[in-house]
Amino acid sequence: MKSSIRVASAPAKVILFGEHFVVYGAPALLAAINRHTTARAKTISQERTIIKSDIGASAEYSDSGCKIVRGGKGAKEILDPVYDAIKRTTEAHGKKTGLRVELRSKIPHGIGLGSSAASCVATVGAVDSLFGSHSKNWICDRAIESERIVHKNSSGADCYISTFGGIMRYSMNEGYRKIEAKKRLHLVVSSTGIRHSTGDLVEQVRKFREANPSRFNELSKQAHNICTNALEAIELGQIENLGRLMSQNHLLLNQIGVSHEKTEALVKLNLGDGALGAKITGAGGGGAVIALASSRKEGARVVASAKKAGYSAMLVEIDHEGLTS
Ligand code: PMV
């Protein structure tokens, strides 16, 4: 069989509103952003799976186990879900063949931008198109299963937004709803440089809630209101209002203890540079901060200042396509 190469690309995500509170039933707003992971897949004659990446992790999987080629123990956490995605997709097509998948990523890892989800979505997408072509829903379902190999209690929201793109409202009870933004959103994503463990932070919040039930309940109500108002602001193109709501959401996250002194410094810096609002995005405890700028030019200014202060920062826009292959 002559082997062709199939390529699929999937975007990163940010949580615009509602992280942590979403775990207890409040809504969250998520958006896909224009930073992607691309997977290139081809069948090979050897009976093994070779995964290469440009993020410092490479490995070979065969019946005798996993041989890490690059990246040490940390590589397994990155590559095991990708291997699972390859295996799951190949088996779903009833095939048994060696495969080589190469990942190229522009998504910083471990700071809550959904890099693992994007790798899984792109991998299922690329491998699927080697043997046929299923719907995005089919691809998303498999990617979610694979991502759960490392993120055991994942809601699946990262894979969902990466597969379908755009902006979504998500809640546990009501599922996903697409939101149309009236105006373009210019977002600055900066990193504190501190990697976080989502599981640990979710556990920390669980303890906070257990110790302060009525306070948490009150903060959760506020988060719900902020999210509802933010959705309206996005739909009506009220950018300044949206920025204010982001900063209000950040205060709630600070109060439940998931901020960090570097996060606070970064939020302050972004706001001092003219951002309309700034907040933690994702689990916190370091990780990433998003800020809303009034224009591309203003956003570039916020990025330049954050970089000058030693942070990594990028100006991003919403990705409306999600998975492409
Ligand atoms: O993994 P992160 O950083 O994108 O954060 C996940 C969002 C949380 O609300 C903290 C957890 C969850 O499962 O929704």
Side-chain angles (χ1 to χ4, degrees), residues 210-250:
E210 207 173 79
N212 311 276
S214 59
R215 185 158 152 68
F216 188 86
N217 208 10
E218 175 51 35
L219 295 172
S220 200
K221 269 190 206 146
Q222 288 180 35
H224 194 137
N225 280 340
I226 288 173
C227 205
T228 305
N229 293 339
L231 197 158
E232 197 178 282
I234 291 170
E235 287 181 333
L236 297 176
Q238 298 168 343
I239 301 296
E240 287 187 7
N241 190 19
L242 190 63
R244 267 194 298 276
L245 291 163
M246 276 169 63
S247 293
Q248 285 173 20
N249 192 160
H250 179 71

Side-chain angles (χ1 to χ4, degrees), residues 13 15 19-20 22-23 111-112 153 155 158 196 198 202 281-284:
K13 71 97 191 15
I15 300 180
E19 49 274 268
H20 286 293
V22 69
V23 174
I111 57 167
N153 299 320
S155 62
D158 283 15
H196 68 212
T198 299
V202 169
T281 184

